[in-house]
Structures are given as structure tokens and as C-alpha cells.
Amino acid sequence: QVQLVESGGGLVQAGDSLRLSCAASGRTFSNYTMGWFRQAPGKEREFVVVITWSGGSTYYADSVKGRFTISRDNAKNTVYLQMNSLKPDDTAVYYCAARYYSGTGSYYDPRYYNTWGQGTQVTVSS
């Protein structure tokens, strides 16, 4: 399995931007579909966005569509989450997650991801 380390979180104001990074190590990164999830206090972990192993397909939660962009650089073993026009409702711990390219199950369900990073806090003040 891959190991994942997120970075780039912080405290920003509404309307600002942040870019999160998730660095992978240990296995062939390009064999993994990568997702970002987030969890706010007292809430369940929720899907944000996913990018397939080749980078050919991406799927976004409606709440972030048009504001967030996922990308990956397989040469650098890294997936990025560019977050623009941040809102207080985006405040959460953000996790990247990996699933093998041939894995089954919904992209939107965290149960179908095998490996998780430790998370990075994003706080958006109003």
C-alpha cells in the first residue's frame, strides 16, 4: 500500500484560497485512484472529490464544484486540491485517501478507500 501525508492546511478568511498537497510513498502511485474527504466537528466524513488513477476522470461533490480543483502529478507522487472562494462551511479536517485502480465500490464512500493520510486542518473564518 501507499503511505500518504497531507500538507497545506491553515487558517484563512472567507473568499481566500488554499492548495492542499498529498504526497504518496511506498507503492506505484499511478496505480491508485485518489480522493479527498473532509470531516467537520460532530459530522461524518464526507466526500469532496476524486481523481482516477490515470487522471482521466474527476468527480466533485456539488458543494465544491466550480470552486475546488483536483489534480495529480504521477511523476511527483502527489495529488493536489486547489480550493478557491473558500467559505466557513468548508472548515474541516481534510484527508486524502487511496484505492487501488481496480477496486470496486462507490468513489463517494470512504469505506472503499484502503489508505488514509493523517489529515490537515482547514479553517475558514467569516
Side-chain angles (χ1 to χ4, degrees):
Q1 290 187 346
V2 293
Q3 291 81 46
L4 305 174
V5 178
E6 302 99 332
S7 61
L11 172 63
V12 298
Q13 293 187 332
D16 285 351
S17 298
L18 275 177
R19 189 176 82 155
L20 305 183
S21 299
C22 174
S25 61
R27 290 286 187 176
T28 305
F29 178 67
S30 58
N31 285 343
Y32 290 84
T33 287
M34 301 298 297
W36 285 97
F37 291 77
R38 65 187 182 186
Q39 189 165 18
K43 295 187 177 181
E44 292 187 353
R45 193 166 297 189
E46 68 170 355
F47 169 81
V48 177
V49 61
V50 62
I51 186 166
T52 56
W53 61 276
S54 65
S57 296
T58 57
Y59 304 93
Y60 292 85
D62 288 343
S63 59
V64 306
K65 203 172 293 183
R67 299 188 298 121
F68 290 12
T69 303
I70 191 171
S71 61
R72 67 188 298 161
D73 185 338
N74 286 345
K76 295 184 177 179
N77 290 352
T78 303
V79 62
Y80 304 98
L81 182 62
Q82 178 66 42
M83 305 186 295
N84 298 331
S85 302
L86 282 161
K87 305 175 181 179
D89 284 350
D90 295 319
T91 296
V93 177
Y94 283 72
Y95 298 90
C96 70
R99 51 185 277 171
Y100 200 61
Y101 76 95
S102 60
T104 58
S106 171
Y107 285 146
Y108 307 106
D109 190 332
R111 295 175 298 173
Y112 295 106
Y113 289 76
N114 310 107
T115 305
W116 293 81
Q118 83 288 351
T120 186
Q121 177 71 47
V122 172
T123 303
V124 184
S125 64
S126 57

